[in-house]
């Protein structure tokens, strides 16, 4: 019973931090760089948000096959899929946070001879730490609840890629509603908890901004 749920938590625990790490440079690029094609790039980054999950999962599966298929129906493939589905939400969350950072502060750091890395670490990062924590919570909830993409990429293999969302679907198909209720309640509790964390962090960030 708890195997698929624990696998979902493991997947989110691996994929969510990786998503934030990958999304940070993307959000910086969209927030502080203006270049030809920036709008098209932002559309590309947000595309996974609007594609039907089965379509996204299908093309990920095709992409994995072009790489030799070593990611197909494997936990590592689920990690990549988790990053892809959460990436648009995280990028937008981080981009919104960066839009609140005064440009004058960043420019002053540059004028004082600080490198881009120093400006990021000492000026930008401390001011968006709330957004980073919120992005972690948001991506965690998104990844644990994802169904269509994970079904296409993982194949619902017992003990390997059967996540809680897939096990729930399987139990419903088998008319085992007692087990389905258990999976549904576990997923609901985990995701509502992450939503509460997300709202608590964002509310705290707004209050801090008002006090400043």
């Amino acid at each position: 019973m708890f195997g698929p749920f624990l696998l979902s938590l493991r997947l989110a625990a691996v994929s969510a931090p990786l998503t934030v790490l990958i999304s940070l440079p993307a959000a910086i690029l969209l927030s502080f760089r203006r270049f030809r094609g920036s709008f098209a790039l932002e559309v590309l980054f947000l595309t996974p948000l609007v594609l039907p999950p089965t379509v996204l999962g299908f093309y990920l599966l095709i992409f994995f096959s072009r790489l030799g298929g070593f990611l197909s129906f494997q936990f590592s493939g689920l990690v990549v899929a988790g990053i892809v589905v959460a990436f648009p939400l995280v990028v937008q969350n981080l981009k919104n946070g960066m839009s609140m950072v005064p440009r004058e502060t960043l420019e002053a750091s540059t004028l004082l001879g600080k490198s881009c890395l120093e400006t990021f670490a000492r000026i930008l990062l401390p001011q968006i730490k709330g957004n980073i924590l919120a992005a972690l919570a948001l991506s965690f909830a998104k990844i644990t609840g994802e169904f269509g993409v994970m079904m296409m990429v993982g194949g619902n293999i017992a003990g390997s890629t059967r996540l809680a969302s897939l096990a729930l679907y399987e139990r419903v198909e088998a008319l085992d509603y007692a087990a389905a209720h258990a999976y549904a309640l576990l997923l609901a509790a985990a995701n509502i908890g992450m939503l509460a964390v997300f709202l608590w962090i964002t509310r705290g960030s707004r209050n801090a901004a008002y006090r400043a």
Side-chain angles (χ1 to χ4, degrees):
M1 168 61 68
F2 289 103
F5 180 68
L6 293 176
L7 186 63
S8 293
L9 295 182
R10 179 185 163 209
L11 174 63
V14 173
S15 297
L18 289 175
T19 306
V20 172
L21 285 175
I22 293 170
S23 299
L24 271 170
I28 290 171
L29 183 64
L30 294 177
S31 298
F32 303 115
R33 294 285 183 268
R34 286 292 174 264
F35 54 92
R36 177 178 290 184
S38 60
F39 177 75
L41 185 63
E42 185 167 11
V43 170
L44 178 65
F45 285 167
L46 297 180
T47 294
L49 195 62
V50 297
L51 286 180
T54 49
V55 172
L56 182 58
F58 172 70
Y59 282 113
L60 277 175
L61 202 57
I62 295 297
F63 176 67
F64 291 167
S65 69
R66 297 290 172 85
L67 295 178
F70 67 93
L71 292 172
S72 303
F73 311 117
Q74 302 291 330
F75 181 79
S76 54
L78 294 180
V79 170
V80 175
I83 292 170
V84 170
V85 298
F87 179 79
L89 295 174
V90 174
V91 167
Q92 282 298 102
N93 185 275
L94 295 176
K95 184 170 174 280
N96 290 341
M98 290 176 188
S99 69
M100 303 299 291
V101 178
R103 295 300 186 269
E104 297 81 5
T105 306
L106 301 175
E107 291 169 2
S109 177
T110 303
L111 290 173
L112 289 172
K114 303 298 182 182
S115 67
C116 291
L117 186 58
E118 286 179 307
T119 300
F120 170 75
R122 297 184 179 183
I123 305 298
L124 183 61
L125 194 58
Q127 296 195 56
I128 63 167
K129 62 182 180 181
N131 293 87
I132 291 174
L133 292 173
L136 279 170
L138 198 60
S139 57
F140 194 98
K142 174 64 176 176
I143 292 164
T144 54
E146 181 58 40
F147 173 77
V149 174
M150 300 306 179
M151 174 69 85
M152 296 291 288
V153 170
N156 196 23
I157 302 170
S160 177
T161 62
R162 181 172 295 163
L163 303 171
S165 57
L166 307 183
L168 168 60
Y169 176 76
E170 182 185 60
R171 290 299 85 206
V172 171
E173 277 200 318
L175 303 180
D176 183 0
Y177 292 142
H181 274 301
Y183 284 122
L185 289 173
L186 286 171
L187 284 171
N191 284 5
I192 291 171
M194 285 298 105
L195 175 63
V197 170
F198 170 76
L199 292 175
W200 178 72
I201 292 170
T202 52
R203 178 177 292 182
S205 298
R206 284 197 301 266
N207 291 341
Y210 291 147
R211 286 194 298 269

